[in-house]
Amino acid sequence: MLSTLLQLASLAALAHGHGYISSPPMRMPGNATTSACGKSVVADIVKDKTSHVEGLPELAAKDAGYHASQCNLWLCRGVQFADNAANVQAYAPGQVVNVKIALTIPHVGSANVSVVDTKTNAIVGQPLLSWPSGYADEKQFYGQTLPANQTDFNVTIPTTLDGKCATAGECVIQWWWYGTGARQTYESCIDFTVAKV
Ligand SMILES: *[C@@H]1O[C@H](CO)[C@@H](O)[C@H](O)[C@H]1NC(C)=O
Ligand SMILES: *[C@@H]1O[C@H](CO)[C@@H](O)[C@H](O)[C@H]1NC(C)=O
Ligand SMILES: *[C@@H]1O[C@H](CO)[C@@H](O)[C@H](O)[C@H]1NC(C)=O
Ligand SMILES: *[C@@H]1O[C@H](CO)[C@@H](O)[C@H](O)[C@H]1NC(C)=O
Ligand SMILES: [Cu+2]
């Protein structure tokens, strides 16, 4: 009985997916994230790469491998740069970059795509794209009328960075989505550099 319940619970957890950046390659956890955030957080994201942030802090707190000073779950779900160092995108100021989102379960809310300073977790300048409301609306999603530009869009690399984000790991492009009714946050990150011109 208990094992059946556990199986059902894990199936539900697997099915409860939401969204992630499918292109360019997003940060996925590896050993550096295990060292910073602990095994439980890594297992959660590996099991479901669309998973939300809420729930992770509680999971992490119970894990001896979690180091709050090194693991900010509210930036890229805590996934560390070192685990994605092989996938750093080199962009030029003004370059148009296509981004694709795998959206598996909708929750209407707000979203933005932003350059984020990884030291401060602050958006650099203005969001590259922003949906103040109406993102991932259930009615549109299940009615197959979700605007294509919510999951396949272009962002333009700012021309005003002036040397900021020149070093790999300094900045990420983060897709951030908050489902208002579900009270769930999704974060997915692209590592990139922009050379100073
Ligand atoms: C990650 O850690 C595991 C277990 O400690 C080890 O076997 C593996 O070689 C490590 N991988 C990398 C890429 O360092
Ligand atoms: C944009 O994303 C950030 C996370 O990077 C979040 O804190 C902020 O509330 C979002 N703003 C809007 C208007 O969606
Ligand atoms: C996205 O597409 C919708 C129509 O599906 C359009 O109304 C809207 O202006 C587009 N938004 C952007 C930012 O291009
Ligand atoms: C993105 O930009 C490319 C090149 O400018 C263009 O061909 C493509 O249609 C754009 N995609 C979207 C979703 O706007
Ligand atoms: Cu949900």
Side-chain angles (χ1 to χ4, degrees):
M1 177 66 181
L2 181 61
S3 72
T4 309
L5 282 176
L6 287 175
Q7 275 167 13
L8 282 174
S10 66
L11 274 177
L14 276 175
H16 200 71
H18 299 87
Y20 65 94
I21 294 178
S22 57
S23 172
M26 68 160 169
R27 272 193 193 184
M28 278 296 285
N31 287 358
T33 306
T34 302
S35 298
C37 302
K39 284 184 185 156
S40 319
V41 164
V42 172
D44 179 276
I45 299 170
V46 168
K47 186 181 72 191
D48 177 5
K49 52 187 172 182
T50 74
S51 74
H52 56 277
V53 182
E54 291 78 6
L56 291 181
E58 198 183 340
L59 200 61
K62 292 185 204 142
D63 192 318
Y66 169 63
H67 304 286
S69 64
Q70 294 164 37
C71 174
N72 183 355
L73 296 165
W74 296 97
L75 174 66
C76 313
R77 285 182 292 186
V79 180
Q80 302 290 302
F81 166 68
D83 289 332
N84 195 41
N87 290 320
V88 178
Q89 314 295 314
Y91 295 138
Q95 185 174 338
V96 174
V97 174
N98 181 250
V99 177
K100 289 188 172 64
I101 305 297
L103 195 76
T104 57
I105 297 179
H107 287 308
V108 69
S110 58
N112 65 64
V113 181
S114 308
V115 173
V116 178
D117 180 326
T118 56
K119 274 217 181 68
T120 58
N121 193 14
I123 293 178
V124 177
Q126 296 299 312
L128 305 175
L129 278 178
S130 178
W131 290 264
S133 63
Y135 190 80
D137 188 312
E138 286 86 344
K139 287 194 207 86
Q140 292 185 326
F141 184 89
Y142 293 114
Q144 300 190 346
T145 58
L146 192 75
N149 58 18
Q150 292 190 9
T151 53
D152 180 351
F153 49 77
N154 286 335
V155 294
T156 303
I157 302 302
T159 54
T160 49
L161 292 170
D162 193 33
K164 193 167 179 69
C165 310
T167 307
E170 186 184 346
C171 303
V172 290
I173 294 175
Q174 180 168 253
W175 168 78
W176 179 96
W177 161 36
Y178 180 70
T180 317
R183 299 187 191 167
Q184 292 177 348
T185 306
Y186 306 91
E187 299 165 351
S188 207
C189 288
I190 300 164
D191 281 297
F192 74 106
T193 56
V194 180
K196 185 173 159 67
V197 282

